[in-house]
Amino acid sequence: MRTIRLLLLAFLILAIPATLLAQFGVSITIAPPELPVYEQPMIPAAGYLWTPGYWSYGEEGYFWVPGTWVEPPEAGLLWTPGYWGWGNNAYGWNEGYWGEQVGFYGGVNYGFGYGGVGYGGGYWNNGAFNYNTSVNNVNVTIVHNVYNKTVINTTVTHVSYNGGSGGVTARPTAAEETAAHARHTPATAAQTEHQQAASKNHELLASVNKGRPAIAATSKPGEFSGKGVVAAKQAGAPYKAVAPENKAAENKATENKTAESKAATTRSNENKAATNKAAENKASENKTAESKAATTRSTENKAATNKAAENKASENKAAASRAATTRSNENKAAMNKAAENKASENKAAESKAATTRSNENKAATNKAAENKASENKAAESKAATTRSNENKAATNKAAENKASENKAATTRSNENTAKPKAARASTEPSKAPAAHAQPAPREQAAPRAEAAPRAQSAPHPETAAHAQPAPRPAAKEAPKTEERPRQ
């Protein structure tokens, strides 16, 4: 039960508006003056960001802190202005801060991009700030990261505080609440010095300038003179001065309220300490009991979980084993099938390759045989031609030799024939009777052309010429006319 109450308390604390949770630097019952009307001075250089002017509170009452251009602590940060807020029957100041997002600043319309919600004066991009020239006084000849986008303010008011009588009724959005809890960077040293310098300048007191300060804004922090100073055009509303007696009464009331607040705070702290102590003790007891119960439940749950896990593991293991066996059989069958197909394909490929090689070898053998036969035929033809030529030459030689031999034989035969005649002529008496006229010897026919020589047998020896008888003397007759020899 105690835990539930603590959670409920935490929830209620988170539900309280940020305005009521602000840590007030001062707490007064008089609202600050309205914001004066003024123009923004020219930006001194690129990289400076605008911080609006505001009413601060000092020993002599409200004084104006001029708006000014300042350099942020680091690139990427934006300024969330401070604001006055009503709470606990008093006005308190909520300090401004630097952050990546602009948070809640009471819905106060400070102008120059701070219209009450968010910021429309520019944005960071890759380490450089881009300025909206519709709400910022920027010299574009020296600042080049600019753009122009109209910012519309639906409600134009110069009210400088949130809540209370006549204050702005705005409440933080979810995004502004998130920004309020994000990492913040406080005001820079230049901003703090700027505020302290304003607190010492008598002309900036609201009781002196009547809500229309002569130094409404500056180009740089702490520079309250020179061309960068801008005076207010007018007060946001007629200034209402507080009478001295009312001021004293107000101060007395403030002191009494401060004392009462301090006493109440002391009692509250004491009660809170006692409550916290009791809560801590109760929380410790509850925590011990809850821890013990949680340990028991954890042990029981752990045992049940382990048992269930073991059963699940066994079931998973069995299922995995069956699945593995099934996959193994399927893989084995698939591998066998693939091996058979591969073997068949290899066998077919080898058979085809063998057939192809056989055909190629056979063709090569036939080609070689044809080439060999052609070569042999050509060689035989050449050899036959050579032998034929040689035989023909030998035959012609033999025929020539035979013809020469036959010619020689014919010559010898003629010579042999002529020798007996000469011998007979030498045996005749010197005075022989007048011989009858003998017919002239026939002329031998010319030798016929011999045929192609044939193999001849050895020539027979010529027959020796027989001795011819001597011619008988012719009878004495009257000479007759000689007959012409027969042709």
Side-chain angles (χ1 to χ4, degrees):
M1 255 333 258
R2 184 66 176 174
T3 304
I4 295 175
R5 284 198 297 272
L6 290 174
L7 292 174
L8 181 60
L9 179 60
F11 177 78
L12 292 175
I13 291 174
L14 291 174
I16 297 174
T19 305
L20 301 181
L21 293 177
Q23 294 182 357
F24 301 140
V26 293
S27 178
I28 60 176
T29 58
I30 300 175
E34 292 195 9
L35 300 173
V37 179
Y38 63 94
E39 293 182 355
Q40 186 185 63
M42 181 72 70
I43 186 174
Y48 280 75
L49 297 186
W50 178 251
T51 58
Y54 60 93
W55 291 105
S56 185
Y57 195 86
E59 295 178 356
E60 299 183 62
Y62 288 103
F63 64 92
W64 179 251
V65 179
T68 188
W69 291 97
V70 299
E71 293 180 289
E74 59 182 89
L77 298 183
L78 298 172
W79 175 247
T80 296
Y83 68 97
W84 288 97
W86 174 261
N88 295 327
N89 297 319
Y91 291 98
W93 174 249
N94 297 269
E95 295 287 348
Y97 58 87
W98 293 96
E100 294 182 356
Q101 302 294 330
V102 175
F104 182 67
Y105 50 93
V108 177
N109 184 1
Y110 286 107
F112 311 111
Y114 290 100
V117 179
Y119 178 57
Y123 61 91
W124 288 97
N125 184 25
N126 295 327
F129 193 79
N130 292 262
Y131 299 88
N132 185 358
T133 56
S134 69
V135 294
N136 286 314
N137 189 5
V138 178
N139 185 351
V140 296
T141 60
I142 61 174
V143 179
H144 305 292
N145 297 325
V146 296
Y147 67 99
N148 189 291
K149 182 179 180 180
T150 303
V151 177
I152 300 175
N153 293 323
T154 57
T155 302
V156 179
T157 178
H158 300 292
V159 177
S160 60
Y161 57 95
N162 178 282
S165 177
V168 179
T169 59
R171 289 292 179 267
T173 64
E176 289 172 331
E177 287 282 10
T178 301
H181 293 87
R183 182 179 69 88
H184 295 161
T185 301
T188 64
Q191 289 176 280
T192 302
E193 293 172 0
H194 180 73
Q195 191 268 347
Q196 292 175 353
S199 67
K200 299 175 182 178
N201 191 317
H202 187 73
E203 294 181 357
L204 295 178
L205 288 171
S207 58
V208 175
N209 58 46
K210 310 302 181 182
R212 184 183 176 182
I215 306 173
T218 65
S219 293
K220 288 185 178 181
E223 294 185 358
F224 293 164
S225 61
K227 63 178 182 180
V229 175
V230 176
K233 292 182 177 180
Q234 64 185 51
Y239 177 74
K240 295 179 180 179
V242 179
E245 60 274 11
N246 293 338
K247 183 69 174 177
E250 178 187 340
N251 292 337
K252 186 64 176 177
T254 301
E255 291 175 1
N256 293 336
K257 187 171 183 179
T258 301
E260 291 175 1
S261 177
K262 186 176 181 180
T265 301
T266 301
R267 288 193 302 273
S268 175
N269 291 336
E270 292 174 354
N271 293 335
K272 187 174 181 180
T275 302
N276 290 340
K277 184 66 176 176
E280 289 176 3
N281 294 335
K282 187 65 177 179
S284 298
E285 294 173 0
N286 291 338
K287 187 174 182 180
T288 302
E290 290 177 358
S291 177
K292 186 175 181 179
T295 301
T296 302
R297 287 194 301 274
S298 176
T299 303
E300 294 174 354
N301 293 336
K302 188 174 182 180
T305 302
N306 291 339
K307 184 66 176 178
E310 290 175 2
N311 294 337
K312 187 64 177 179
S314 299
E315 293 175 358
N316 291 339
K317 187 174 181 180
S321 178
R322 286 195 300 272
T325 302
T326 302
R327 286 194 301 272
S328 176
N329 293 336
E330 293 175 352
N331 292 337
K332 188 174 181 180
M335 291 174 65
N336 291 338
K337 183 66 177 179
E340 291 176 3
N341 293 337
K342 189 65 177 179
S344 299
E345 292 174 358
N346 291 340
K347 188 173 180 180
E350 290 176 359
S351 177
K352 185 175 181 180
T355 302
T356 301
R357 286 195 300 273
S358 176
N359 292 335
E360 292 175 352
N361 293 339
K362 188 173 180 180
T365 303
N366 292 339
K367 183 67 177 180
E370 290 177 2
N371 293 338
K372 187 66 177 178
S374 298
E375 292 174 359
N376 293 339
K377 187 173 181 181
E380 291 176 359
S381 176
K382 185 175 180 180
T385 301
T386 302
R387 288 194 300 272
S388 176
N389 292 336
E390 291 175 352
N391 294 336
K392 187 173 181 181
T395 302
N396 292 337
K397 185 67 177 177
E400 289 177 0
N401 294 337
K402 185 65 179 179
S404 297
E405 292 175 356
N406 290 338
K407 187 175 180 180
T410 302
T411 302
R412 287 194 302 272
S413 178
N414 292 333
E415 291 177 351
N416 292 333
T417 302
K419 286 179 178 180
K421 290 181 177 182
R424 284 194 303 268
S426 62
T427 59
E428 288 180 1
S430 57
K431 291 183 181 181
H436 294 283
Q438 295 294 328
R442 297 181 180 178
E443 295 180 355
Q444 291 182 352
R448 298 180 182 176
E450 292 184 358
R454 291 179 298 177
Q456 301 290 331
S457 59
H460 296 283
E462 294 183 5
T463 304
H466 296 281
Q468 297 295 329
R472 289 178 298 183
K476 296 180 180 181
E477 292 179 358
K480 298 180 181 180
T481 305
E482 289 183 346
E483 294 180 355
R484 296 182 63 180
R486 291 180 292 182
Q487 298 294 326

